[in-house]
Amino acid sequence: MTAIPPSKTRKSPAVAIVAGLLVLALIACVVLLIGSLMQSGVIAAFVAWMYETTLGTVVRYFLESVLLIIALLIVVAYLILVDRKVWAAVQMRRGPNVVGPWGLFQSFADLIKFALKEQIIPDGANKGIFLIAPLVTSVLAIAAWAVVPVADGWAIADINVGILYLFALSSLGVYGVIMGGWASNSKYPFLSALRSAAQMVSYEVSIGFVIITVLLCAGSLNITEIVRTQQTGLGTMLGLPNSFLDWYFLPLFPMFIIFFVSALAETNRPPFDLVEAESELVAGFMVEYSATGYLLFMLGEYVAITLMCAMTTILFLGGWLPIIDVAVLNWVPGVVWFMIKLLFVFFMFAMVKAIVPRYRYDQLMRLGWKVFLPISLFWVALTAGVLVAFGWAP
Amino acid sequence: MIAALFFYLFAAVAVASAVMVISARNPVHSVLFLILCFFNAAGLFVLMGAEFLAMILVVVYVGAVAVLFLFVVMMLDVDFVELRQGMLNYLPVGATIGLIVLVELVLAAGSWVIDPKSVATHAAPTPTDITNTEALGRVLYTDFIFYFEAAGLVLLVAMIGAIVLTLRHKQGVKRQDISTQVARNPANAVEVIKVKSGQGI
């Protein structure tokens, strides 16, 4: 056995201490600077400028969007890790555990790896569309987050028809897949694109009906309003304090399940990942993609999955509302409750992926058109009837 | 100022992509430009304060109709040489239709230049106290419910007609019947036979 030679580039402890002190000094300087700025009222003036002038409003929306995108991408990076860890735990493996402590930096390592690889464009590909397709997927998925209220009043654009905007953008996700599959000019991607188009259009129908049912109960298309109406409900009718019993998942339980399953199909998650069924279609519409193109597709897919989790949270699990509205629990900020619920729904997504085998294509279509569509249509009629009959309609 | 900027942006892109729809060589590119055009039309709706119409335009036309368009166009076996040969034959018909549409547009737009009072007859004032989703709902489901349901019935008849025309019951096709599959049990699915050695069944 040969002894491993000591690394020659190892830094001495003194260097590390000096570097640490420098960083601390820098942080102290920044804190002092911010403090003095606040003292002189510069920051207050800047905030006022952002709310009062036209240019300031543009700058404010830009800064808000950048903040949201950064937060979203970090959350998505760790959700991918959660996904892989849950999947591994179900199969009694360890999952990614090499890059960083407990594999915490795995997603960032993957990001750098994808960004540094060579982008290959097939000879027969339709170049423009081939390059636009991954952008379409990821940009649409990220754009939908503009209307999501992660806490009370925290949505960037609190528009009147917020839920329709979400529905519209999530139904556009199919274009990235179709364009990518067609432009690759290859058999498997094309077959995959056709499958995906049919699948996503089918499940949008039942998602639409589920959203309509919730809208009937909430009486508003505004997302913030939909969450606020869940403060009162079944629980408060029985005289209990505001709690999880008021959320829509309880009175609309069948629709909650249908929405969850349709969300799996809409985002091409297993067991409905027929778009990239690797035993039949190699990697589906992504066969010809490499490097950044592939990265953007994966990013768009995971952002869309996170969006579906957020939609489930908003429509059925009371958004940013605490589980029980009592002293200790309602001190927790709304964004924390939102993240906890989003994580719970994502955990369910990951468990489904790990446990359920893939559907056959005709079974998928049967489930969408012959099972979910009639049930959701019936529930829309039933909900409307009950609301009118008991005078609960908002 | 910003609204005007966005108006010119949306309008310019909408017109340019509409031109590309009819001038693009590849039919798939045409459909994609059509989608871009829809998007910009939705943007114009938002600028006019009709956000509900804008979202419905995106959901229905871009999310469903254009997907089916794209689906059909991708499956077509397009022969570009053959396409160009028919150009001269169809030109007079196309030009006539285009001319008629143009004249109608000019008449419709010109009516309130000629008679400014006529605007009141075809433009109901936008209500300010309710959202436009609610205003549209009142018009569709309260004021004109009969016409709305009649239109729905016409669509239903068209749908049933399409199904009747294409539905065929093929003989000898094995279909999956989920309820019989689930109802199977060892008693009616498996037969255990004692076979003496050397005899067979």
Side-chain angles (χ1 to χ4, degrees), chain A residues 54 58 126 129 160-161 164-165 167-168 172 174-175 178 182 190 194 197 201 204 221 360 362-363 366, chain B residues 2 26 28-29 32 35 39 51-52 55-56 58-59 62-63 66-67 70-71 74-75 131 133 176 178:
Chain A
T54 314
V58 173
N126 200 312
I129 299 180
N160 281 337
V161 287
L164 275 181
Y165 176 84
F167 182 56
L172 294 183
V174 66
Y175 279 110
I178 295 189
W182 179 79
F190 187 60
L194 292 182
V201 170
E204 248 156 53
L221 292 170
R360 215 171 56 204
D362 61 315
Q363 292 173 333
R366 177 182 172 276
Chain B
I2 292 177
N26 194 327
V28 173
H29 290 177
L32 291 176
I35 293 161
F39 256 113
E51 71 263 12
F52 182 74
M55 291 306 143
I56 290 299
V58 174
V59 171
V62 185
V67 172
L70 207 55
F71 211 87
M74 277 180 182
M75 307 285 270
T131 64
T133 315
Q176 187 182 23
I178 306 255

Side-chain angles (χ1 to χ4, degrees), chain A residues 53-96:
Chain A
T53 61
T54 314
L55 185 66
T57 314
V58 173
V59 171
R60 179 164 59 93
Y61 278 123
F62 179 75
L63 288 180
E64 281 177 358
S65 310
V66 169
L67 264 181
L68 181 87
I69 290 174
I70 291 172
L72 180 68
L73 292 185
I74 291 174
V75 167
V76 165
Y78 281 100
L79 282 183
I80 293 174
L81 189 70
V82 168
D83 201 18
R84 296 172 70 173
K85 282 281 190 189
V86 169
W87 204 7
V90 170
Q91 297 171 346
M92 302 177 90
R93 293 185 285 116
R94 288 194 180 190

